[in-house]
């Protein structure tokens, strides 16, 4: 059998710990026997980021802009203990944050469903996809702990020196204060990314904010979405037979618990951070969640939604075989290969990605799975395997 040829390289972004151990096994067993894999490799392992003063992360993001599609492994976001563990020069920023800021994206997270794992919410039959805005709000805030309180104000001084200010409150006791922002251009990109994704997946999309309380901030999200929908997407949605629905965030949450799924749930940054974990956990596991960053300029970065699975890595270092679930990593690869195939018109690459996805599902539905899934599946697992044996079982079916 001749291997499937690629035209353009994928930007391959490697990471840390247990997911770094699984990465080459997935490539070797599941992809390279079938695809003449072309990648441009960026090592975002902790050591390399430290050595290059994090320049490697910026280079990787720019490579995605150059080629269009990247696949990223999970990476450590260093905190104080990590600085000691890896003798780092400093607490480098989150690589995901850096890449998202450069690509100006929206993150879409979609659960992978199998018939032997039932969602905790009994009405959910189809995936609920969470579309999370990845810029601003509390993730780029300023905060003050004011011991004696005081006159709390927000103030904007524009480049001509004009000042706009508002008093929040004048208060005489210890107070906490937070200032957040977003930009209209980022909100517009967010809206377009969500509407494009809905059209691509042919699913309705729902958006909710707290616009009744937040009459400038959240209402601007609401109005910007409305405007872009009416002027750019309404006809396309009608033609595709799908809907855009806006309501208060409380109402969305209530409706989500009663719906049967098959929708894109558009969330502001913090809502998406929290709600995507709730949705992932209710559908089974973070390791059964795909994640893609879509930029308004048409760049795509595929990744797993989970981290580097640190606890498993320490067991691995002691020589133990771990039952770490590689499904989200495999789907990151198939997502990237399929998109590359679409962009370059390589039908075989798209269909290979579909078959690999299907092989993964077939193995799990046959009762062979990693420990995390065995704990929640019904009927009971026939065989609980380590990561390598699980990947081998997929390779055999493939
Ligand atoms: P984690 O890697 O998501 O793992 C947390 C726990 O979830 C694991 O201990 C494991 O539970 C379970 N789990 C997650 N993925 C699994 C998988 N594929 N198979 C089986 N079980 C899985 O989070 P963490 O260990 O708290 O964080 C480790 C590092 O990851 C941190 O340094 C953090 O900065 C980084 N991180 C990176 C990303 C990213 O790059 N996208 C995202 C989040 C976190 P059990 O131990 O009970 O088996
Ligand atoms: Mg979160």
């Amino acid at each position: 059998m001749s291997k499937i040829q690629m035209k353009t390289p994928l930007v391959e972004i490697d990471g840390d710990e247990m997911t770094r151990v699984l990465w080459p096994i997935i490539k070797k067993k599941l992809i390279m026997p079938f695809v003449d894999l072309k990648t441009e490799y960026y090592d975002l392992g902790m050591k390399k980021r430290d050595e290059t003063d994090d320049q490697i992360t910026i280079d990787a993001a720019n490579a995605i802009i150059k080629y269009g599609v990247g696949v990223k492994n999970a990476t450590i976001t260093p905190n104080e203990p990590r600085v000691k563990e890896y003798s780092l020069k400093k607490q480098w920023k989150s690589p995901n944050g850096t890449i998202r800021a450069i690509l100006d994206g929206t993150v879409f997270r979609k659960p992978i469903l199998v018939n032997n794992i039932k969602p905790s919410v009994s009405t959910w039959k189809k995936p609920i996809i969470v579309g999370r805005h990845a810029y601003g709000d509390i993730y780029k805030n300023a905060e003050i702990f004011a011991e004696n309180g005081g006159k709390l104000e927000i103030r904007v001084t524009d480049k001509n020196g004009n000042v706009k200010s508002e008093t929040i409150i004048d208060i005489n006791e210890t107070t906490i204060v937070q200032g957040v922002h977003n930009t209209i251009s980022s909100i517009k990109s967010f809206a377009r990314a969500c509407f494009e994704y809905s059209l691509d997946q042919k699913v309705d999309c729902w958006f909710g904010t707290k616009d009744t309380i937040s009459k400038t901030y959240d209402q601007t999200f609401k109005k910007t979405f409305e405007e872009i929908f009416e002027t750019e997407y309404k006809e396309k949605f009608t033609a595709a037979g799908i809907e855009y629905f806006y309501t208060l965030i409380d109402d969305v949450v209530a409706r989500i618990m009663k719906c049967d799924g098959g929708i894109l749930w558009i969330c502001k940054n913090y809502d998406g951070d929290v709600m995507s974990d709730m949705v992932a956990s209710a559908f089974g596991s973070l390791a059964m969640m795909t994640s893609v960053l879509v930029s308004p300029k048409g760049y795509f970065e595929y990744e797993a939604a989970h981290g580097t699975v640190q606890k498993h890595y320490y067991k691995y270092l002691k020589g133990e075989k771990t039952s770490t679930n590689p499904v989200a990593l495999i789907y990151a690869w198939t997502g990237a290969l399929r998109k590359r195939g679409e962009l370059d018109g390589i039908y075989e690459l798209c269909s290979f990605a579909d078959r690999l996805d299907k092989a993964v599902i077939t193995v799990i539905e046959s009762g062979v799975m990693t420990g995390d899934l065995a704990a929640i599946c019904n009927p009971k697992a026939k065989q609980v395997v380590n990561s390598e044996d699980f990947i081998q079982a997929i390779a055999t079916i493939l």
Side-chain angles (χ1 to χ4, degrees):
M1 196 182 81
S2 64
K3 291 189 191 182
I4 300 163
Q5 296 297 310
M6 292 176 66
K7 288 181 190 154
T8 318
L10 278 180
V11 181
E12 176 184 355
I13 305 174
D14 208 348
D16 291 296
E17 300 194 314
M18 201 59 218
T19 47
R20 190 183 178 97
V21 175
L22 297 176
W23 194 256
I25 307 174
I26 293 168
K27 278 167 63 181
K28 182 166 166 252
K29 293 261 181 190
L30 300 178
I31 300 170
M32 284 154 78
F34 308 99
V35 179
D36 193 14
L37 188 64
K38 277 199 181 70
T39 73
E40 193 166 290
Y41 182 84
Y42 290 84
D43 181 3
L44 262 58
M46 202 59 262
K47 194 165 156 271
K48 192 74 176 182
R49 277 184 276 150
D50 197 51
E51 268 169 34
T52 62
D53 293 342
D54 213 20
Q55 182 60 39
I56 189 84
T57 307
I58 296 163
D59 293 346
N62 285 326
I64 296 181
I65 293 177
K66 179 174 171 194
Y67 293 111
V69 186
V71 53
K72 181 183 169 292
N73 204 344
T75 44
I76 291 169
T77 298
N79 52 12
E80 202 46 59
R82 297 296 204 168
V83 171
K84 290 204 188 88
E85 184 181 356
Y86 288 85
S87 310
L88 303 177
K89 292 177 197 156
K90 61 182 244 195
Q91 269 188 43
W92 301 107
K93 282 197 223 158
S94 151
N96 291 325
T98 303
I99 295 171
R100 281 171 202 162
I102 294 173
L103 300 181
D104 181 19
T106 302
V107 177
F108 295 97
R109 296 206 156 157
K110 180 179 179 182
I112 302 159
L113 305 194
V114 287
N115 65 17
N116 42 354
I117 294 170
K118 303 273 176 291
S120 321
V121 179
S122 59
T123 53
W124 292 359
K125 306 286 181 227
K126 292 173 276 180
I128 291 170
I129 307 156
V130 175
R132 170 185 171 189
H133 190 203
Y135 179 84
D137 300 355
I138 64 162
Y139 303 87
K140 243 182 170 15
N141 66 4
E143 301 189 327
I144 293 173
F145 189 97
E147 280 82 2
N148 303 310
K151 188 175 174 198
L152 318 181
E153 293 172 292
I154 44 174
R155 173 192 303 272
V156 177
T157 312
D158 74 12
K159 62 174 187 268
N160 302 318
N162 303 317
V163 173
K164 270 189 171 179
S165 74
E166 278 280 333
T167 301
I168 304 167
I169 196 166
D170 205 337
I171 197 166
N172 225 342
E173 59 177 290
T174 305
T175 303
I176 44 177
V177 199
Q178 182 181 54
V180 298
H181 85 287
N182 224 300
T183 64
I184 303 302
S185 67
S186 180
I187 299 170
K188 285 184 173 169
S189 301
F190 175 39
R192 292 194 178 100
C194 292
F195 294 141
E196 288 291 335
Y197 190 92
S198 278
L199 280 169
D200 183 61
Q201 301 270 315
K202 296 232 175 356
V203 289
D204 290 347
C205 58
W206 297 1
F207 184 31
T209 72
K210 199 71 185 170
D211 65 274
T212 45
I213 302 295
S214 168
K215 292 191 189 301
T216 300
Y217 202 99
D218 279 17
Q219 267 200 36
T220 300
F221 275 85
K222 177 187 174 182
K223 284 187 180 151
T224 307
F225 268 70
E226 235 165 52
E227 219 174 87
I228 289 189
F229 181 73
E230 290 295 327
T231 54
E232 299 173 30
Y233 288 95
K234 197 172 182 175
E235 283 166 22
K236 292 181 193 165
F237 268 53
T238 309
I242 57 173
E243 271 183 11
Y244 168 58
F245 173 60
Y246 179 90
T247 181
L248 275 181
I249 179 83
D250 327 37
D251 188 35
V252 175
V253 169
R255 285 168 188 260
I256 286 285
M257 301 312 274
K258 303 275 183 212
C259 79
D260 66 348
I263 53 161
L264 168 65
W265 180 7
I266 303 169
C267 292
K268 283 175 62 197
N269 209 345
Y270 174 80
D271 299 339
D273 183 348
V274 179
M275 290 304 165
S276 67
D277 283 4
M278 185 192 76
V279 169
S281 146
F283 272 109
S285 155
L286 259 192
M288 297 292 282
M289 193 82 168
T290 65
S291 181
V292 57
L293 174 74
V294 178
S295 101
K297 298 203 179 78
Y299 316 126
F300 299 84
E301 184 210 40
Y302 293 82
E303 56 170 13
H306 58 75
T308 60
V309 212
Q310 183 181 12
K311 282 189 205 136
H312 293 210
Y313 182 61
Y314 291 157
K315 286 186 188 159
Y316 165 85
L317 288 181
K318 284 190 207 147
E320 278 180 48
K321 289 213 170 195
T322 70
S323 188
T324 314
N325 187 336
V327 170
L329 292 174
I330 298 170
Y331 270 66
W333 274 101
T334 55
L337 289 170
R338 186 182 297 107
K339 182 54 74 181
R340 199 64 271 167
E342 278 170 31
L343 295 175
D344 292 347
I346 310 171
Y347 165 78
E348 297 81 5
L349 202 53
C350 302
S351 103
F352 168 75
D354 293 345
R355 281 175 214 203
L356 176 47
D357 282 359
K358 212 170 150 204
V360 170
I361 304 289
T362 306
V363 169
I364 298 171
E365 292 187 345
S366 77
V368 177
M369 60 193 79
T370 46
D372 58 321
L373 300 184
I376 51 171
C377 91
N378 181 17
K380 261 177 70 182
K382 291 196 184 117
Q383 220 185 329
V384 184
V385 288
N386 65 45
S387 307
E388 275 196 63
D389 289 348
F390 181 66
I391 292 170
Q392 184 53 54
I394 298 164
T396 305
I397 295 272
L398 192 62

